[in-house]
Amino acid sequence: MDLVLLHAFPLDARMWAVPGALTPDLRGHGEPNLDTLASQVIAALPSEKVVLGGCSMGGYVAMAVVRQAPERVKGLVFVDTKHTADAPEAVKTRHAMADRVEREGVGEWLVEAMLPNLVGPNASDTAKALVRTMILDQRAEDVAWWQRAMAKRPDSTDVLETLDVPSLVLVGEHDKLTPPDVAAKLAVTLKHATSERIEDSGHLPPVEQPEEFRARLDRWREQVSL
């Protein structure tokens, strides 16, 4: 097993339909910090080097992994994510959601807040139903922890621009949260990046266009011999 995929917020490993991949569920504990999740991932890695991928929050965690243990990674896959820190307004929004989920728990309000930004306008009913189920299945303490951890993540430019491994940057055509221009900036930061757009998808290509996502991933791995 040399492919590890890290899920988006506020979802879990069910978002990945990639046979044979290691897809851990990320669970926070203690003081919110993405380095905590990175340490969990590193502890679960096989002995050989891996291709490490992440979507959205999972991409942030992947960046934290390479900050701690770059020698464990032979390739990177970034899906609808960014390498910069949050702006002050985004930090406030994350903390507000964390506070609300602690007060009210996970419910339909969270689905209504997240779903329109997570999937594209033409997402199938199956994709929307899966995303809804994953959101509602999350623990309130995890959702709050993830938001607070993401709010204080650092800019990862300094880490990524020094990495000497092939990288794949994928972005959904209709992504509202990390749109294609953001993906382009991430790709420029990386030394050996292949950047591609997945048409008719929003923030979650592995859920909305799973076959196309797998095809892009497989083709890139063949091209770079990983």
Side-chain angles (χ1 to χ4, degrees):
M1 166 48 54
D2 69 343
L3 177 62
V4 180
L5 298 171
L6 309 176
H7 64 79
F9 169 91
L11 309 177
D12 56 45
R14 286 174 288 177
M15 68 166 285
W16 303 109
V18 181
L22 176 62
T23 57
D25 284 326
L26 304 172
R27 293 289 176 254
H29 62 85
E31 184 69 19
N33 192 314
L34 293 183
D35 287 338
T36 299
L37 299 182
S39 296
Q40 294 174 13
V41 172
I42 292 168
L45 291 178
S47 57
E48 69 269 20
K49 289 186 176 184
V50 300
V51 175
L52 178 64
C55 180
S56 192
M57 178 181 74
Y60 306 153
V61 178
M63 294 173 201
V65 169
V66 295
R67 191 177 295 117
Q68 291 185 33
E71 73 282 357
R72 306 295 299 277
V73 176
K74 64 181 179 180
L76 290 163
V77 179
F78 292 122
V79 185
D80 295 81
T81 192
K82 59 184 178 181
H83 61 292
T84 54
D86 278 344
E89 191 59 35
V91 170
K92 287 178 60 178
T93 299
R94 290 194 190 280
H95 283 290
M97 180 176 283
D99 293 342
R100 183 174 179 184
V101 78
E102 286 182 333
R103 291 193 310 269
E104 302 179 20
V106 171
E108 287 295 339
W109 72 268
L110 186 59
V111 175
E112 293 173 5
M114 293 299 302
L115 191 60
N117 290 323
L118 290 178
V119 298
N122 300 316
S124 68
D125 290 342
T126 299
K128 288 187 282 190
L130 175 58
V131 173
R132 180 180 182 275
T133 296
M134 285 190 284
I135 292 173
L136 292 175
D137 283 350
Q138 302 313 308
R139 303 184 306 173
E141 56 264 39
D142 284 326
V143 174
W145 193 99
W146 291 333
Q147 282 286 44
R148 294 191 174 114
M150 287 189 288
K152 63 183 182 183
R153 74 185 188 281
D155 186 298
S156 293
T157 301
D158 59 334
V159 176
L160 298 183
E161 64 186 7
T162 63
L163 290 175
D164 195 22
V165 298
S167 302
L168 175 64
V169 177
L170 294 175
V171 63
E173 176 186 13
H174 301 300
D175 188 354
K176 298 178 182 178
L177 298 176
T178 52
D181 65 313
V182 173
K185 292 175 183 176
L186 170 57
V188 169
T189 303
L190 295 156
K191 281 186 177 181
H192 310 292
T194 299
S195 183
E196 298 183 7
R197 184 182 305 190
I198 296 183
E199 292 74 21
D200 205 23
S201 181
H203 192 60
L204 302 173
V207 177
E208 298 174 73
Q209 303 280 357
E211 293 182 2
E212 182 65 19
F213 172 77
R214 289 194 300 271
R216 302 285 186 104
L217 178 60
D218 290 344
R219 183 167 65 244
W220 169 76
R221 294 194 68 178
E222 290 178 3
Q223 290 172 346
V224 298
S225 301
L226 285 177

